[in-house]
Amino acid sequence: MEDSLRKALSEKQAAVDAQGGAVRELKASGAPKDAIDAAVQELNALKLEKASIEKQLQAALTNGNDNALSRDAFRQALVNTLERRLFYIPSFKIYRGVAGLYDYGPPGCAVKSNVLAFWRQHFVLEENMLEVDCPCVTPEIVLKASGHVDKFTDLMVKDEKTGTCYRADHLLKDFCKEKLEKDLTISGEKAAELKHILAVLDDLSAEELGGKIKEYGITAPDTKNPLSAPYPFNLMFQTSIGPSGLSPGYMRPETAQGIFVNFKDLYYYNGNKLPFAAAQIGQAFRNEISPRQGLLRVREFTLAEIEHFVDPDDKSHPKFSEVANLEFLMFPRGEQVSGQSAKRTVLGEAVSKGIVNNETLGYFIGRVYLFLTGLGIDKERLRFRQHLANEMAHYAADCWDAEIECSYGWIECVGIADRSAYDLRAHTDKSGVPLVAHEKFAEPREVEKLIIAPVKKELGLAFKGNQKMVVEALEAMSEKEAMEMKATLESTGEVGFHVCTLGKDVTITKKMLSISKEKKKEHQRVFTPSVIEPSFGIGRIIYCLYEHSFYTRPSKAGDEQLNVFRFPPLVAPIKCTVFPLVQNQQYEEVAKSIAKSLTAAGISYKIDITGTSIGKRYARTDELGVPLAITVDSTSSVTIRERDSKDQIRVSVEEVASVVKEVTDGQSTWADVLWRYPTHSSASVDE
């Protein structure tokens, strides 16, 4: 509809321009008044028709904008509440803060701690993983091997006068979106061009990105000054280890490398058996060019990562049947390319049809779904999107992102990737230490071994300084690729070969290598394991949880809107509050006695003995997401109020801690306890 309206508007504008020209000509030639009046009348009619089309187009565009405005208002209300109640605040606020750095306050720390405790229980304990804790400071050689030193970059532009830096793709993205949403005059062709740019933004090279910025006249947002050409900026924080400055290092951009370099010891610790998984929770650092979107794009953040090592020839999973029947929104690359939307899919079917590459990857997708929905993420606003071919690293077998919808759109919160054997091979090559696994045979086996023997002299003459990268690429060929190359070399004498590390094709001749197969007897198989990596951005998950849990409801008087977080008890920062109904010595003694029993049961609580009305105290704790409130209104029994329904039950003082523990530990639901105890209603509660 938008395209047809833009086309109609463009045609009508051309008609208005032509008629305007005709009126000017009539006036210049001294034409009769009747002829001029008729032409003017026709011009006005055309302008009215144009105005009508503009109105329709504006309505089509603002339909999305109205949603955007309501999303912005919702987000602002949420962020105001989060900062006012100290869930999180900008770091170093008294010094005007630093973009991309945030402090978690008491409730934020408690939520984060609860999320990580559930992550440990759901993954580390359930799957019997090996948990490690590695340093944040990493020597340069480790990140050189992993590719981060050379390739962990974003394209940046600078304001040529002030030196302020911006992410080049963000500027182009903002320009295209603003044009599409607010400029009624652009043609249908131009709108299609801008939409195409948004679709391929991640694929644009520095030259293409710079060309578009120049073509569209994009300038620095704050000063309107001209911008430099885009150039790569490495996102790692650099440092030096020790006082000499001779040992360069970086603050780690991910926790995974610490696990990979320890593979040999972890494999031995696990009894030299595969599969096994190692896990790590820790801080990671990325020197974002222009961080925005609050907790979603920051410079220091918590990652929880799993590296599941598996035999590349057997990626089945013994527990896959436990998740095979789960059904949720999946967005395979085929649907993305054809412009369709995510559809509810049964996980087992996705694996059996080959949409998901293997059972182990599918198993972790299912476990991630259960983890996120267990935290309180809305399953209707959670989808698993498969990486497009252009997003995937050349070595990856398959990658899926768990994306959660919030006011900023669909946000990647968990990446689940089959990274093949790339990481262990890269560290084996750089360190010289073989990071391999062994499978011992009961009887010796005769096997055919592929022998790829590069002739380094010939390769050196042809490729000079690039010889090492060409040799590595040739030696990394699969058997299928090698035998196809052998056949081509024998028939034509040369073959084109793509070297990923060079980013180009080279010509390989028959003199440069020999490819053959030899039969050998082997007592064991030595191989580099593949790794399946689920990587969780904890801050992003928590922010989306805040959005999915936040709502407002009217006060009892109806004169104000009260904020509520509907956190599940599992993640709520405080499990219950204790309120003496009135300031009374006896009630306060009962409250202290209950507090003591809650502490003994390991339940977090807060006592509020202020003289404010009970309704206001309820509202204060609802705003922190506290699921249960205990009100002491007698010396023998108390009421327990549930946050979302506001239902109350009456329980004896002796039983109150056990009832709260039962609900907050998830042994029983509120509905379970509601029918076991007498309900309580009070007309005096001012909510």
Side-chain angles (χ1 to χ4, degrees):
M1 182 178 175
E2 182 197 327
D3 293 343
S4 59
L5 285 170
R6 284 193 188 277
K7 189 178 178 187
L9 183 60
S10 179
E11 289 168 356
K12 198 61 69 179
Q13 182 64 54
V16 167
D17 292 344
Q19 188 62 24
V23 168
R24 285 191 293 276
E25 280 179 24
L26 286 171
K27 286 179 177 177
S29 64
K33 186 175 182 299
D34 290 353
I36 293 172
D37 288 348
V40 169
Q41 196 172 351
E42 191 177 337
L43 176 62
N44 289 337
L46 285 168
K47 284 181 176 176
L48 282 172
E49 288 169 18
K50 180 194 159 202
S52 171
I53 297 169
E54 278 180 341
K55 200 171 179 182
Q56 290 175 62
L57 180 56
Q58 188 73 57
L61 294 175
T62 52
N63 201 13
N65 286 345
D66 286 345
N67 288 340
L69 285 170
S70 63
R71 282 199 305 268
D72 288 347
F74 167 81
R75 186 194 308 137
Q76 199 54 56
L78 168 70
V79 170
N80 288 346
T81 305
L82 289 169
E83 291 195 7
R84 180 169 47 79
R85 297 312 304 265
L86 229 56
F87 279 86
Y88 72 87
I89 50 172
S91 299
F92 317 112
K93 198 163 68 166
I94 62 170
Y95 292 101
R96 301 189 178 179
V98 178
L101 296 176
Y102 291 92
D103 295 339
Y104 285 80
C109 276
V111 169
K112 182 179 175 184
S113 175
N114 293 337
V115 167
L116 291 175
F118 182 50
W119 188 87
R120 273 197 174 92
Q121 183 254 313
H122 188 82
F123 290 107
V124 180
L125 294 179
E126 183 86 19
E127 309 297 336
N128 204 15
M129 294 178 178
L130 311 179
E131 189 173 357
V132 298
D133 188 359
C134 305
C136 294
V137 177
T138 307
E140 183 180 55
I141 192 168
V142 173
L143 294 164
K144 189 84 176 163
S146 67
H148 285 86
V149 171
D150 298 322
K151 294 179 180 173
F152 196 65
T153 57
D154 278 338
L155 290 170
M156 181 167 84
V157 288
K158 264 187 184 177
D159 181 318
E160 290 193 335
K161 291 185 180 172
T162 68
T164 305
C165 300
Y166 304 94
R167 244 181 82 166
D169 59 335
H170 283 176
L171 293 184
L172 184 56
K173 182 181 182 179
D174 292 346
F175 172 85
C176 293
K177 287 180 92 168
E178 189 164 348
K179 273 281 182 193
L180 287 166
E181 288 169 7
K182 295 179 182 173
D183 191 343
L184 305 181
T185 63
I186 58 172
S187 65
E189 292 78 15
K190 193 69 178 174
E193 179 192 319
L194 295 174
K195 285 177 183 174
H196 175 69
I197 287 168
L198 288 173
V200 300
L201 196 59
D202 291 341
D203 290 342
L204 297 181
S205 66
E207 292 74 23
E208 289 166 329
L209 208 49
K212 288 295 173 192
I213 286 171
K214 207 166 186 179
E215 180 187 336
Y216 296 144
I218 298 172
T219 55
D222 305 318
T223 62
K224 307 304 175 198
N225 291 332
L227 294 164
S228 69
Y231 60 96
F233 171 74
N234 194 294
L235 298 177
M236 292 192 293
F237 285 99
Q238 191 165 13
T239 185
S240 59
I241 303 168
S244 68
L246 299 176
S247 179
Y250 295 90
M251 303 301 288
R252 64 184 178 191
E254 61 179 28
T255 66
Q257 301 309 318
I259 296 175
F260 295 136
V261 299
N262 283 315
F263 170 79
K264 188 177 178 181
D265 292 326
L266 291 168
Y267 180 56
Y268 175 75
Y269 180 87
N270 200 53
N272 295 327
K273 286 178 185 164
L274 282 183
F276 76 89
Q280 180 168 196
I281 297 168
Q283 295 303 94
F285 307 82
R286 295 181 186 178
N287 197 8
E288 294 285 351
I289 294 165
S290 48
R292 52 190 188 174
Q293 299 182 333
L295 289 182
L296 298 181
R297 190 168 292 282
V298 292
R299 288 176 164 139
E300 180 180 346
F301 49 95
T302 303
L303 280 179
E305 295 190 299
I306 296 163
E307 308 302 330
H308 181 90
F309 298 101
V310 63
D311 186 335
D313 294 342
D314 180 13
K315 293 182 181 176
S316 61
H317 198 287
K319 290 164 71 178
F320 180 68
S321 59
E322 294 178 16
V323 298
N325 294 326
L326 290 174
E327 187 178 2
F328 45 79
L329 287 172
M330 296 190 82
F331 201 13
R333 65 174 69 99
E335 272 80 346
Q336 295 172 58
V337 170
S338 58
Q340 298 176 54
S341 53
K343 292 186 179 68
R344 292 188 70 79
T345 307
V346 176
L347 181 57
E349 288 176 16
V351 172
S352 62
K353 289 176 182 174
I355 297 167
V356 174
N357 184 274
N358 57 74
E359 273 190 10
T360 298
L361 187 65
Y363 177 73
F364 278 107
I365 288 172
R367 292 291 293 162
V368 168
Y369 171 79
L370 293 172
F371 170 71
L372 293 173
T373 51
L375 285 177
I377 295 297
D378 180 355
K379 62 184 179 183
E380 299 305 323
R381 290 192 280 165
L382 167 64
R383 71 182 185 191
F384 288 81
R385 187 185 70 81
Q386 189 175 30
H387 281 204
L388 297 172
N390 59 28
E391 291 178 90
M392 287 217 302
H394 64 277
Y395 52 78
D398 195 7
C399 299
W400 293 76
D401 287 341
E403 295 184 332
I404 304 173
E405 189 182 28
C406 70
S407 62
Y408 291 106
W410 288 96
I411 301 297
E412 172 204 340
C413 293
V414 187
I416 309 140
D418 182 337
R419 295 173 60 88
S420 300
Y422 171 79
D423 301 281
L424 293 181
R425 281 196 180 128
H427 287 299
T428 294
D429 292 346
K430 195 77 174 172
S431 68
V433 177
L435 303 176
V436 293
H438 306 265
E439 181 195 0
K440 288 190 174 162
F441 302 141
E443 296 288 330
R445 292 182 189 176
E446 193 174 74
V447 294
E448 255 191 344
K449 296 286 282 185
L450 176 70
I451 309 293
I452 299 171
V455 181
K456 292 185 179 176
K457 184 183 172 188
E458 295 290 337
L459 289 164
L461 288 169
F463 301 112
K464 299 184 172 60
N466 293 328
Q467 177 201 6
K468 186 171 181 283
M469 285 185 270
V470 176
V471 169
E472 285 172 353
L474 289 168
E475 288 176 340
M477 282 192 294
S478 67
E479 185 173 326
K480 184 170 177 278
E481 287 174 309
M483 297 319 288
E484 284 172 1
M485 179 180 278
K486 179 180 168 75
T488 309
L489 286 172
E490 284 172 358
S491 61
T492 66
E494 63 177 45
V495 65
F497 179 61
H498 185 71
V499 181
C500 292
T501 47
L502 286 176
K504 64 178 182 180
D505 288 343
V506 298
T507 301
I508 302 295
T509 65
K510 204 171 180 179
K511 291 189 294 182
M512 292 178 183
L513 84 163
S514 68
I515 299 169
S516 59
K517 281 190 171 183
E518 286 181 11
K519 285 191 176 177
K520 284 185 176 179
K521 275 199 171 180
E522 288 193 343
H523 295 269
Q524 65 173 0
R525 170 176 158 246
V526 180
F527 61 94
T528 305
S530 284
V531 65
I532 313 286
E533 178 191 73
S535 176
F536 299 74
I538 298 300
R540 288 184 169 199
I541 293 169
I542 288 171
Y543 178 77
C544 291
L545 176 62
Y546 288 153
E547 281 213 8
H548 287 203
S549 304
F550 184 71
Y551 68 101
T552 59
R553 62 185 176 201
S555 62
K556 193 168 186 181
D559 56 346
E560 61 176 324
Q561 289 292 311
L562 303 175
N563 301 322
V564 186
F565 282 103
R566 61 163 81 86
F567 297 130
L570 177 78
V571 294
I574 300 164
K575 305 307 181 195
C576 71
T577 46
V578 184
F579 303 143
L581 183 63
V582 291
Q583 287 183 312
N584 169 307
Q585 184 66 37
Q586 280 185 305
Y587 288 179
E588 285 179 22
E589 288 302 320
V590 173
K592 285 175 185 173
S593 162
I594 291 170
K596 205 170 179 181
S597 59
L598 290 169
T599 301
I603 298 164
S604 59
Y605 65 90
K606 187 175 182 179
I607 288 189
D608 187 342
I609 55 171
T610 58
T612 51
S613 73
I614 194 72
K616 283 182 178 162
R617 282 185 275 174
Y618 282 151
R620 277 207 299 257
T621 54
D622 289 346
E623 200 173 47
L624 285 173
V626 181
L628 300 174
I630 300 164
T631 304
V632 180
D633 57 358
S634 86
T635 54
S636 58
S637 68
V638 296
T639 66
I640 303 178
R641 169 195 179 265
E642 196 271 335
R643 176 195 60 220
D644 298 312
S645 65
K646 298 191 275 188
D647 290 336
Q648 297 186 50
I649 56 172
R650 183 161 289 282
V651 178
S652 70
V653 169
E654 291 74 22
E655 285 183 282
V656 67
S658 63
V659 172
V660 170
K661 187 168 178 63
E662 199 179 318
V663 174
T664 56
D665 280 1
Q667 297 161 25
S668 301
T669 64
W670 177 251
D672 293 333
V673 298
L674 197 57
W675 66 267
R676 287 187 358 225
Y677 294 93
T679 56
H680 173 83
S681 62
S682 172
S684 66
V685 173
D686 171 26
E687 292 195 78

